[in-house]
Tab-separated table of all heavy atoms in Angstrom:
chain	number	residue	atom	x	y	z
S	1330	LEU	N	-55.820	20.089	3.181
S	1330	LEU	CA	-54.764	20.474	4.122
S	1330	LEU	C	-53.635	19.495	4.157
S	1330	LEU	O	-52.406	19.758	4.091
S	1330	LEU	CB	-55.353	20.630	5.519
S	1330	LEU	CG	-54.296	20.994	6.624
S	1330	LEU	CD1	-53.621	22.307	6.308
S	1330	LEU	CD2	-55.019	21.121	8.003
S	1331	ILE	N	-54.036	18.193	4.247
S	1331	ILE	CA	-53.014	17.112	4.262
S	1331	ILE	C	-52.220	17.080	2.935
S	1331	ILE	O	-50.988	16.898	2.971
S	1331	ILE	CB	-53.674	15.789	4.490
S	1331	ILE	CG1	-54.365	15.760	5.886
S	1331	ILE	CG2	-52.664	14.630	4.463
S	1331	ILE	CD1	-53.456	16.031	7.001
S	1332	ALA	N	-52.879	17.225	1.812
S	1332	ALA	CA	-52.203	17.193	0.573
S	1332	ALA	C	-51.225	18.366	0.490
S	1332	ALA	O	-50.103	18.263	-0.028
S	1332	ALA	CB	-53.217	17.313	-0.585
S	1333	GLY	N	-51.686	19.569	0.999
S	1333	GLY	CA	-50.758	20.714	0.979
S	1333	GLY	C	-49.531	20.473	1.804
S	1333	GLY	O	-48.426	20.891	1.450
S	1334	VAL	N	-49.781	19.907	3.015
S	1334	VAL	CA	-48.629	19.612	3.879
S	1334	VAL	C	-47.630	18.683	3.206
S	1334	VAL	O	-46.412	18.815	3.286
S	1334	VAL	CB	-49.086	19.060	5.235
S	1334	VAL	CG1	-47.918	18.530	6.094
S	1334	VAL	CG2	-49.826	20.140	6.011
S	1335	LEU	N	-48.172	17.607	2.580
S	1335	LEU	CA	-47.309	16.660	1.904
S	1335	LEU	C	-46.521	17.248	0.777
S	1335	LEU	O	-45.337	17.021	0.605
S	1335	LEU	CB	-48.171	15.452	1.410
S	1335	LEU	CG	-48.764	14.544	2.464
S	1335	LEU	CD1	-49.646	13.557	1.832
S	1335	LEU	CD2	-47.677	13.873	3.299
S	1336	LEU	N	-47.226	18.068	-0.044
S	1336	LEU	CA	-46.526	18.750	-1.065
S	1336	LEU	C	-45.538	19.703	-0.670
S	1336	LEU	O	-44.385	19.726	-1.218
S	1336	LEU	CB	-47.583	19.487	-2.013
S	1336	LEU	CG	-48.459	18.604	-2.831
S	1336	LEU	CD1	-49.509	19.479	-3.540
S	1336	LEU	CD2	-47.686	17.818	-3.850
S	1337	ALA	N	-45.796	20.432	0.431
S	1337	ALA	CA	-44.819	21.326	1.025
S	1337	ALA	C	-43.577	20.548	1.557
S	1337	ALA	O	-42.386	21.022	1.384
S	1337	ALA	CB	-45.440	22.112	2.131
S	1338	THR	N	-43.859	19.427	2.219
S	1338	THR	CA	-42.756	18.649	2.689
S	1338	THR	C	-41.900	18.127	1.605
S	1338	THR	O	-40.609	18.129	1.719
S	1338	THR	CB	-43.307	17.430	3.526
S	1338	THR	OG1	-44.079	17.954	4.593
S	1338	THR	CG2	-42.199	16.589	4.135
S	1339	LEU	N	-42.481	17.609	0.506
S	1339	LEU	CA	-41.727	17.138	-0.651
S	1339	LEU	C	-40.919	18.315	-1.234
S	1339	LEU	O	-39.708	18.090	-1.629
S	1339	LEU	CB	-42.626	16.532	-1.695
S	1339	LEU	CG	-43.281	15.200	-1.333
S	1339	LEU	CD1	-44.299	14.850	-2.453
S	1339	LEU	CD2	-42.260	14.123	-1.192
S	1340	ALA	N	-41.492	19.439	-1.328
S	1340	ALA	CA	-40.684	20.639	-1.846
S	1340	ALA	C	-39.478	20.965	-0.935
S	1340	ALA	O	-38.420	21.315	-1.443
S	1340	ALA	CB	-41.609	21.805	-1.994
S	1341	LEU	N	-39.728	20.856	0.336
S	1341	LEU	CA	-38.647	21.183	1.268
S	1341	LEU	C	-37.505	20.188	1.237
S	1341	LEU	O	-36.406	20.536	1.345
S	1341	LEU	CB	-39.188	21.337	2.738
S	1341	LEU	CG	-40.233	22.507	2.953
S	1341	LEU	CD1	-40.801	22.410	4.363
S	1341	LEU	CD2	-39.475	23.785	2.676
S	1342	VAL	N	-37.932	18.862	1.079
S	1342	VAL	CA	-36.923	17.844	0.945
S	1342	VAL	C	-36.137	18.065	-0.332
S	1342	VAL	O	-34.851	17.939	-0.279
S	1342	VAL	CB	-37.586	16.474	0.876
S	1342	VAL	CG1	-36.556	15.356	0.467
S	1342	VAL	CG2	-38.173	16.142	2.271
S	1343	ALA	N	-36.755	18.418	-1.378
S	1343	ALA	CA	-36.074	18.669	-2.709
S	1343	ALA	C	-35.162	19.904	-2.534
S	1343	ALA	O	-34.004	19.860	-3.028
S	1343	ALA	CB	-37.088	18.965	-3.754
S	1344	THR	N	-35.607	20.847	-1.786
S	1344	THR	CA	-34.722	22.038	-1.596
S	1344	THR	C	-33.514	21.698	-0.747
S	1344	THR	O	-32.423	22.142	-0.981
S	1344	THR	CB	-35.526	23.188	-0.836
S	1344	THR	OG1	-36.673	23.528	-1.692
S	1344	THR	CG2	-34.706	24.425	-0.689
S	1345	SER	N	-33.741	20.912	0.300
S	1345	SER	CA	-32.676	20.420	1.106
S	1345	SER	C	-31.588	19.657	0.298
S	1345	SER	O	-30.372	19.853	0.426
S	1345	SER	CB	-33.107	19.592	2.311
S	1345	SER	OG	-32.096	19.160	3.079
S	1346	LEU	N	-32.080	18.774	-0.550
S	1346	LEU	CA	-31.239	17.952	-1.393
S	1346	LEU	C	-30.460	18.861	-2.377
S	1346	LEU	O	-29.285	18.669	-2.547
S	1346	LEU	CB	-32.052	16.942	-2.196
S	1346	LEU	CG	-31.273	16.066	-3.214
S	1346	LEU	CD1	-30.246	15.213	-2.549
S	1346	LEU	CD2	-32.242	15.250	-4.016
S	1347	PHE	N	-31.167	19.835	-2.880
S	1347	PHE	CA	-30.476	20.794	-3.813
S	1347	PHE	C	-29.296	21.552	-3.075
S	1347	PHE	O	-28.241	21.705	-3.615
S	1347	PHE	CB	-31.508	21.903	-4.304
S	1347	PHE	CG	-30.934	22.894	-5.241
S	1347	PHE	CD1	-30.922	22.564	-6.576
S	1347	PHE	CD2	-30.499	24.084	-4.759
S	1347	PHE	CE1	-30.390	23.514	-7.485
S	1347	PHE	CE2	-29.962	24.995	-5.692
S	1347	PHE	CZ	-29.904	24.779	-6.981
S	1348	GLY	N	-29.563	21.902	-1.775
S	1348	GLY	CA	-28.498	22.612	-1.069
S	1348	GLY	C	-27.326	21.705	-0.799
S	1348	GLY	O	-26.184	22.093	-0.921
S	1349	GLU	N	-27.585	20.430	-0.421
S	1349	GLU	CA	-26.466	19.487	-0.161
S	1349	GLU	C	-25.677	19.200	-1.491
S	1349	GLU	O	-24.437	19.074	-1.438
S	1349	GLU	CB	-27.027	18.157	0.365
S	1349	GLU	CG	-27.609	18.330	1.794
S	1349	GLU	CD	-28.312	17.080	2.302
S	1349	GLU	OE1	-28.296	16.122	1.502
S	1349	GLU	OE2	-28.867	17.127	3.404
S	1350	VAL	N	-26.373	19.078	-2.573
S	1350	VAL	CA	-25.742	18.840	-3.874
S	1350	VAL	C	-24.929	20.022	-4.251
S	1350	VAL	O	-23.792	19.854	-4.717
S	1350	VAL	CB	-26.821	18.510	-4.971
S	1350	VAL	CG1	-26.237	18.653	-6.358
S	1350	VAL	CG2	-27.355	17.137	-4.782
S	1351	PHE	N	-25.459	21.193	-4.095
S	1351	PHE	CA	-24.731	22.447	-4.425
S	1351	PHE	C	-23.424	22.526	-3.611
S	1351	PHE	O	-22.364	22.796	-4.119
S	1351	PHE	CB	-25.582	23.701	-4.084
S	1351	PHE	CG	-24.818	24.984	-4.328
S	1351	PHE	CD1	-24.813	25.546	-5.539
S	1351	PHE	CD2	-24.161	25.599	-3.336
S	1351	PHE	CE1	-24.127	26.710	-5.798
S	1351	PHE	CE2	-23.535	26.794	-3.518
S	1351	PHE	CZ	-23.480	27.334	-4.797
S	1352	TYR	N	-23.532	22.152	-2.291
S	1352	TYR	CA	-22.360	22.279	-1.461
S	1352	TYR	C	-21.267	21.301	-1.879
S	1352	TYR	O	-20.106	21.608	-1.988
S	1352	TYR	CB	-22.721	22.118	0.063
S	1352	TYR	CG	-21.514	22.415	0.912
S	1352	TYR	CD1	-21.247	23.788	1.244
S	1352	TYR	CD2	-20.721	21.448	1.383
S	1352	TYR	CE1	-20.151	24.066	2.089
S	1352	TYR	CE2	-19.584	21.719	2.165
S	1352	TYR	CZ	-19.337	23.102	2.554
S	1352	TYR	OH	-18.246	23.335	3.279
S	1353	SER	N	-21.691	20.009	-2.010
S	1353	SER	CA	-20.698	18.962	-2.407
S	1353	SER	C	-20.105	19.290	-3.720
S	1353	SER	O	-18.826	19.112	-3.880
S	1353	SER	CB	-21.386	17.592	-2.377
S	1353	SER	OG	-22.340	17.562	-3.400
S	1354	GLY	N	-20.848	19.744	-4.702
S	1354	GLY	CA	-20.331	20.085	-5.967
S	1354	GLY	C	-19.377	21.324	-5.904
S	1354	GLY	O	-18.344	21.366	-6.560
S	1355	ALA	N	-19.731	22.263	-5.031
S	1355	ALA	CA	-18.909	23.448	-4.865
S	1355	ALA	C	-17.541	23.141	-4.292
S	1355	ALA	O	-16.539	23.714	-4.633
S	1355	ALA	CB	-19.631	24.513	-3.988
S	1356	ILE	N	-17.506	22.198	-3.320
S	1356	ILE	CA	-16.266	21.825	-2.773
S	1356	ILE	C	-15.375	21.084	-3.790
S	1356	ILE	O	-14.163	21.331	-3.850
S	1356	ILE	CB	-16.460	20.950	-1.509
S	1356	ILE	CG1	-17.243	21.713	-0.430
S	1356	ILE	CG2	-15.198	20.472	-0.965
S	1356	ILE	CD1	-16.609	23.083	-0.069
S	1357	ALA	N	-15.978	20.198	-4.546
S	1357	ALA	CA	-15.195	19.484	-5.588
S	1357	ALA	C	-14.582	20.473	-6.534
S	1357	ALA	O	-13.417	20.390	-6.992
S	1357	ALA	CB	-16.031	18.481	-6.241
S	1358	ILE	N	-15.372	21.441	-6.913
S	1358	ILE	CA	-14.978	22.471	-7.878
S	1358	ILE	C	-13.862	23.321	-7.352
S	1358	ILE	O	-12.833	23.616	-7.935
S	1358	ILE	CB	-16.098	23.302	-8.416
S	1358	ILE	CG1	-17.008	22.491	-9.338
S	1358	ILE	CG2	-15.692	24.552	-9.085
S	1358	ILE	CD1	-18.304	23.161	-9.716
S	1359	SER	N	-14.062	23.778	-6.067
S	1359	SER	CA	-13.114	24.661	-5.471
S	1359	SER	C	-11.762	24.020	-5.300
S	1359	SER	O	-10.708	24.651	-5.436
S	1359	SER	CB	-13.618	25.129	-4.033
S	1359	SER	OG	-14.868	25.850	-4.198
S	1360	LEU	N	-11.747	22.751	-4.944
S	1360	LEU	CA	-10.490	22.021	-4.664
S	1360	LEU	C	-9.710	21.584	-5.982
S	1360	LEU	O	-8.542	21.412	-5.978
S	1360	LEU	CB	-10.727	20.812	-3.852
S	1360	LEU	CG	-11.171	21.119	-2.365
S	1360	LEU	CD1	-11.398	19.773	-1.598
S	1360	LEU	CD2	-10.113	21.988	-1.637
S	1361	THR	N	-10.493	21.372	-7.038
S	1361	THR	CA	-9.924	20.724	-8.237
S	1361	THR	C	-9.988	21.510	-9.553
S	1361	THR	O	-9.168	21.277	-10.398
S	1361	THR	CB	-10.516	19.345	-8.432
S	1361	THR	OG1	-11.889	19.402	-8.754
S	1361	THR	CG2	-10.311	18.443	-7.201
S	1362	ASP	N	-11.008	22.426	-9.689
S	1362	ASP	CA	-11.141	23.075	-10.956
S	1362	ASP	C	-10.083	24.187	-11.176
S	1362	ASP	O	-9.505	24.689	-10.188
S	1362	ASP	CB	-12.597	23.730	-10.998
S	1362	ASP	CG	-13.543	22.834	-11.727
S	1362	ASP	OD1	-13.297	21.634	-11.779
S	1362	ASP	OD2	-14.562	23.334	-12.209
S	1363	GLU	N	-9.857	24.467	-12.418
S	1363	GLU	CA	-8.904	25.581	-12.765
S	1363	GLU	C	-9.653	26.981	-12.673
S	1363	GLU	O	-10.797	27.062	-13.078
S	1363	GLU	CB	-8.343	25.407	-14.157
S	1363	GLU	CG	-7.494	24.134	-14.281
S	1363	GLU	CD	-6.192	24.241	-13.496
S	1363	GLU	OE1	-5.790	25.346	-13.193
S	1363	GLU	OE2	-5.634	23.167	-13.169
S	1364	TRP	N	-8.973	27.932	-12.217
S	1364	TRP	CA	-9.499	29.302	-12.195
S	1364	TRP	C	-8.357	30.289	-12.275
S	1364	TRP	O	-7.200	29.990	-12.039
S	1364	TRP	CB	-10.367	29.600	-10.980
S	1364	TRP	CG	-9.633	29.400	-9.665
S	1364	TRP	CD1	-8.712	30.318	-9.139
S	1364	TRP	CD2	-9.738	28.369	-8.710
S	1364	TRP	NE1	-8.290	29.861	-7.934
S	1364	TRP	CE2	-8.918	28.656	-7.678
S	1364	TRP	CE3	-10.484	27.221	-8.684
S	1364	TRP	CZ2	-8.709	27.890	-6.542
S	1364	TRP	CZ3	-10.375	26.391	-7.526
S	1364	TRP	CH2	-9.495	26.711	-6.495
S	1365	ASP	N	-8.692	31.518	-12.637
S	1365	ASP	CA	-7.710	32.558	-12.741
S	1365	ASP	C	-7.921	33.611	-11.640
S	1365	ASP	O	-9.056	33.991	-11.431
S	1365	ASP	CB	-7.829	33.269	-14.112
S	1365	ASP	CG	-7.513	32.317	-15.239
S	1365	ASP	OD1	-6.577	31.514	-15.064
S	1365	ASP	OD2	-8.161	32.390	-16.316
S	1366	GLY	N	-6.869	33.974	-11.029
S	1366	GLY	CA	-6.962	35.125	-10.042
S	1366	GLY	C	-7.616	34.738	-8.761
S	1366	GLY	O	-8.236	35.613	-8.107
S	1367	GLY	N	-7.554	33.496	-8.281
S	1367	GLY	CA	-8.112	33.165	-6.978
S	1367	GLY	C	-9.356	32.211	-7.155
S	1367	GLY	O	-9.710	31.913	-8.307
S	1368	PRO	N	-9.925	31.750	-6.056
S	1368	PRO	CA	-11.040	30.812	-6.139
S	1368	PRO	C	-12.287	31.472	-6.768
S	1368	PRO	O	-12.448	32.695	-6.720
S	1368	PRO	CB	-11.319	30.520	-4.629
S	1368	PRO	CG	-10.696	31.649	-3.841
S	1368	PRO	CD	-9.541	32.108	-4.708
S	1369	PRO	N	-13.098	30.654	-7.379
S	1369	PRO	CA	-14.282	31.208	-8.092
S	1369	PRO	C	-15.289	31.761	-7.139
S	1369	PRO	O	-15.301	31.332	-5.933
S	1369	PRO	CB	-14.785	29.990	-8.810
S	1369	PRO	CG	-14.415	28.826	-8.027
S	1369	PRO	CD	-13.080	29.184	-7.460
S	1370	SER	N	-16.121	32.688	-7.614
S	1370	SER	CA	-17.211	33.216	-6.865
S	1370	SER	C	-18.331	32.205	-6.771
S	1370	SER	O	-18.340	31.211	-7.484
S	1370	SER	CB	-17.714	34.528	-7.496
S	1370	SER	OG	-18.297	34.233	-8.717
S	1371	LEU	N	-19.291	32.470	-5.861
S	1371	LEU	CA	-20.445	31.648	-5.779
S	1371	LEU	C	-21.220	31.509	-7.126
S	1371	LEU	O	-21.687	30.462	-7.526
S	1371	LEU	CB	-21.456	32.100	-4.698
S	1371	LEU	CG	-20.918	31.934	-3.235
S	1371	LEU	CD1	-21.969	32.492	-2.286
S	1371	LEU	CD2	-20.653	30.510	-2.944
S	1372	ARG	N	-21.214	32.657	-7.798
S	1372	ARG	CA	-21.953	32.627	-9.151
S	1372	ARG	C	-21.208	31.745	-10.122
S	1372	ARG	O	-21.827	30.963	-10.842
S	1372	ARG	CB	-22.083	34.055	-9.671
S	1372	ARG	CG	-22.724	34.138	-11.039
S	1372	ARG	CD	-22.874	35.556	-11.531
S	1372	ARG	NE	-23.755	36.313	-10.736
S	1372	ARG	CZ	-24.032	37.597	-10.857
S	1372	ARG	NH1	-23.527	38.239	-11.917
S	1372	ARG	NH2	-24.900	38.237	-10.085
S	1373	GLU	N	-19.868	31.834	-10.129
S	1373	GLU	CA	-19.085	30.998	-10.998
S	1373	GLU	C	-19.223	29.527	-10.660
S	1373	GLU	O	-19.351	28.642	-11.519
S	1373	GLU	CB	-17.629	31.402	-10.987
S	1373	GLU	CG	-17.359	32.774	-11.605
S	1373	GLU	CD	-15.955	33.234	-11.346
S	1373	GLU	OE1	-15.387	32.936	-10.256
S	1373	GLU	OE2	-15.335	33.831	-12.278
S	1374	ILE	N	-19.229	29.205	-9.365
S	1374	ILE	CA	-19.405	27.847	-8.897
S	1374	ILE	C	-20.795	27.301	-9.300
S	1374	ILE	O	-20.887	26.177	-9.860
S	1374	ILE	CB	-19.290	27.771	-7.347
S	1374	ILE	CG1	-17.812	28.031	-6.931
S	1374	ILE	CG2	-19.789	26.411	-6.788
S	1374	ILE	CD1	-17.621	28.136	-5.445
S	1375	ALA	N	-21.787	28.112	-9.085
S	1375	ALA	CA	-23.125	27.623	-9.471
S	1375	ALA	C	-23.276	27.319	-10.922
S	1375	ALA	O	-23.965	26.446	-11.357
S	1375	ALA	CB	-24.189	28.706	-9.066
S	1376	GLY	N	-22.509	28.164	-11.794
S	1376	GLY	CA	-22.593	27.906	-13.179
S	1376	GLY	C	-21.827	26.670	-13.667
S	1376	GLY	O	-22.073	26.214	-14.735
S	1377	ARG	N	-20.981	26.176	-12.839
S	1377	ARG	CA	-20.124	24.948	-13.192
S	1377	ARG	C	-20.786	23.650	-12.651
S	1377	ARG	O	-20.378	22.605	-13.127
S	1377	ARG	CB	-18.730	25.085	-12.666
S	1377	ARG	CG	-17.953	26.282	-13.168
S	1377	ARG	CD	-16.499	26.242	-12.654
S	1377	ARG	NE	-15.820	27.489	-12.887
S	1377	ARG	CZ	-14.542	27.725	-12.628
S	1377	ARG	NH1	-13.870	26.771	-12.035
S	1377	ARG	NH2	-14.008	28.874	-12.866
S	1378	ILE	N	-21.629	23.708	-11.659
S	1378	ILE	CA	-22.099	22.504	-11.038
S	1378	ILE	C	-23.065	21.825	-11.983
S	1378	ILE	O	-24.049	22.417	-12.523
S	1378	ILE	CB	-22.808	22.801	-9.703
S	1378	ILE	CG1	-21.750	23.364	-8.648
S	1378	ILE	CG2	-23.457	21.579	-9.074
S	1378	ILE	CD1	-22.335	23.749	-7.394
S	1379	ALA	N	-22.938	20.517	-12.068
S	1379	ALA	CA	-23.872	19.705	-12.899
S	1379	ALA	C	-25.001	19.266	-12.049
S	1379	ALA	O	-24.996	18.096	-11.507
S	1379	ALA	CB	-23.082	18.494	-13.449
S	1380	PHE	N	-25.925	20.117	-11.787
S	1380	PHE	CA	-26.985	19.898	-10.801
S	1380	PHE	C	-27.836	18.619	-11.124
S	1380	PHE	O	-28.131	17.782	-10.233
S	1380	PHE	CB	-27.948	21.105	-10.687
S	1380	PHE	CG	-27.343	22.270	-9.958
S	1380	PHE	CD1	-26.996	23.363	-10.619
S	1380	PHE	CD2	-27.264	22.191	-8.618
S	1380	PHE	CE1	-26.451	24.464	-9.927
S	1380	PHE	CE2	-26.706	23.270	-7.858
S	1380	PHE	CZ	-26.291	24.370	-8.568
S	1381	ARG	N	-28.258	18.519	-12.361
S	1381	ARG	CA	-29.119	17.375	-12.688
S	1381	ARG	C	-28.442	16.038	-12.475
S	1381	ARG	O	-29.047	15.097	-11.937
S	1381	ARG	CB	-29.629	17.499	-14.117
S	1381	ARG	CG	-30.725	18.582	-14.353
S	1381	ARG	CD	-31.272	18.610	-15.752
S	1381	ARG	NE	-30.205	18.938	-16.674
S	1381	ARG	CZ	-30.379	19.026	-17.995
S	1381	ARG	NH1	-31.596	18.814	-18.487
S	1381	ARG	NH2	-29.437	19.433	-18.838
S	1382	ARG	N	-27.233	15.933	-12.896
S	1382	ARG	CA	-26.496	14.704	-12.777
S	1382	ARG	C	-26.202	14.434	-11.249
S	1382	ARG	O	-26.306	13.262	-10.839
S	1382	ARG	CB	-25.169	14.722	-13.545
S	1382	ARG	CG	-25.358	14.453	-15.025
S	1382	ARG	CD	-24.065	14.542	-15.727
S	1382	ARG	NE	-23.618	15.900	-15.920
S	1382	ARG	CZ	-22.404	16.289	-16.260
S	1382	ARG	NH1	-21.474	15.398	-16.454
S	1382	ARG	NH2	-22.084	17.596	-16.405
S	1383	LEU	N	-25.804	15.446	-10.515
S	1383	LEU	CA	-25.536	15.220	-9.154
S	1383	LEU	C	-26.792	14.831	-8.345
S	1383	LEU	O	-26.768	13.996	-7.435
S	1383	LEU	CB	-24.947	16.467	-8.493
S	1383	LEU	CG	-23.472	16.694	-8.707
S	1383	LEU	CD1	-22.991	18.077	-8.060
S	1383	LEU	CD2	-22.626	15.602	-8.067
S	1384	ILE	N	-27.955	15.466	-8.620
S	1384	ILE	CA	-29.186	15.145	-7.935
S	1384	ILE	C	-29.585	13.664	-8.298
S	1384	ILE	O	-30.008	12.909	-7.473
S	1384	ILE	CB	-30.316	16.098	-8.321
S	1384	ILE	CG1	-29.984	17.479	-7.654
S	1384	ILE	CG2	-31.661	15.623	-7.879
S	1384	ILE	CD1	-30.965	18.581	-8.123
S	1385	ALA	N	-29.452	13.328	-9.560
S	1385	ALA	CA	-29.784	11.954	-9.985
S	1385	ALA	C	-28.873	10.966	-9.244
S	1385	ALA	O	-29.306	9.909	-8.783
S	1385	ALA	CB	-29.651	11.841	-11.509
S	1386	VAL	N	-27.583	11.260	-9.229
S	1386	VAL	CA	-26.638	10.330	-8.439
S	1386	VAL	C	-26.985	10.257	-7.016
S	1386	VAL	O	-27.048	9.175	-6.439
S	1386	VAL	CB	-25.203	10.902	-8.678
S	1386	VAL	CG1	-24.250	10.256	-7.627
S	1386	VAL	CG2	-24.663	10.599	-10.075
S	1387	ASP	N	-27.319	11.364	-6.396
S	1387	ASP	CA	-27.647	11.361	-4.938
S	1387	ASP	C	-28.907	10.498	-4.694
S	1387	ASP	O	-28.993	9.706	-3.761
S	1387	ASP	CB	-27.896	12.796	-4.396
S	1387	ASP	CG	-26.619	13.386	-3.918
S	1387	ASP	OD1	-25.515	12.854	-4.239
S	1387	ASP	OD2	-26.730	14.433	-3.177
S	1388	LEU	N	-29.930	10.670	-5.562
S	1388	LEU	CA	-31.184	9.956	-5.317
S	1388	LEU	C	-30.936	8.452	-5.574
S	1388	LEU	O	-31.458	7.678	-4.798
S	1388	LEU	CB	-32.246	10.497	-6.314
S	1388	LEU	CG	-32.817	11.904	-5.958
S	1388	LEU	CD1	-33.781	12.365	-7.044
S	1388	LEU	CD2	-33.554	11.877	-4.630
S	1389	LEU	N	-30.258	8.130	-6.676
S	1389	LEU	CA	-30.081	6.716	-6.992
S	1389	LEU	C	-29.205	6.044	-5.895
S	1389	LEU	O	-29.450	4.850	-5.556
S	1389	LEU	CB	-29.497	6.555	-8.370
S	1389	LEU	CG	-30.460	6.901	-9.502
S	1389	LEU	CD1	-29.674	6.917	-10.899
S	1389	LEU	CD2	-31.634	5.990	-9.633
S	1390	TYR	N	-28.222	6.789	-5.501
S	1390	TYR	CA	-27.307	6.221	-4.458
S	1390	TYR	C	-28.049	5.957	-3.197
S	1390	TYR	O	-27.907	4.903	-2.550
S	1390	TYR	CB	-26.143	7.198	-4.259
S	1390	TYR	CG	-25.198	6.800	-3.088
S	1390	TYR	CD1	-24.467	5.614	-3.186
S	1390	TYR	CD2	-24.976	7.655	-2.039
S	1390	TYR	CE1	-23.594	5.288	-2.202
S	1390	TYR	CE2	-24.092	7.313	-1.058
S	1390	TYR	CZ	-23.395	6.114	-1.080
S	1390	TYR	OH	-22.537	5.800	-0.090
S	1391	GLY	N	-28.854	6.920	-2.753
S	1391	GLY	CA	-29.615	6.740	-1.559
S	1391	GLY	C	-30.612	5.591	-1.643
S	1391	GLY	O	-30.763	4.779	-0.715
S	1392	LEU	N	-31.301	5.489	-2.772
S	1392	LEU	CA	-32.246	4.342	-3.011
S	1392	LEU	C	-31.508	3.008	-2.971
S	1392	LEU	O	-32.038	2.049	-2.399
S	1392	LEU	CB	-32.939	4.511	-4.374
S	1392	LEU	CG	-34.021	5.681	-4.396
S	1392	LEU	CD1	-34.549	5.806	-5.822
S	1392	LEU	CD2	-35.117	5.389	-3.413
Side-chain angles (χ1 to χ4, degrees):
L1330 177 59
I1331 298 302
V1334 170
L1335 290 176
L1336 288 175
T1338 301
L1339 289 175
L1341 295 175
V1342 170
T1344 303
S1345 179
L1346 176 63
F1347 181 86
E1349 293 174 2
V1350 164
F1351 177 86
Y1352 189 82
S1353 63
I1356 298 307
I1358 286 171
S1359 298
L1360 292 179
T1361 63
D1362 266 22
E1363 295 293 337
W1364 60 74
D1365 296 321
S1370 66
L1371 289 179
R1372 179 177 295 180
E1373 291 172 323
I1374 289 173
R1377 299 184 192 183
I1378 294 176
F1380 284 109
R1381 286 184 296 180
R1382 281 178 286 166
L1383 278 176
I1384 290 174
V1386 164
D1387 271 17
L1388 289 174
L1389 292 174
Y1390 176 59
L1392 288 173

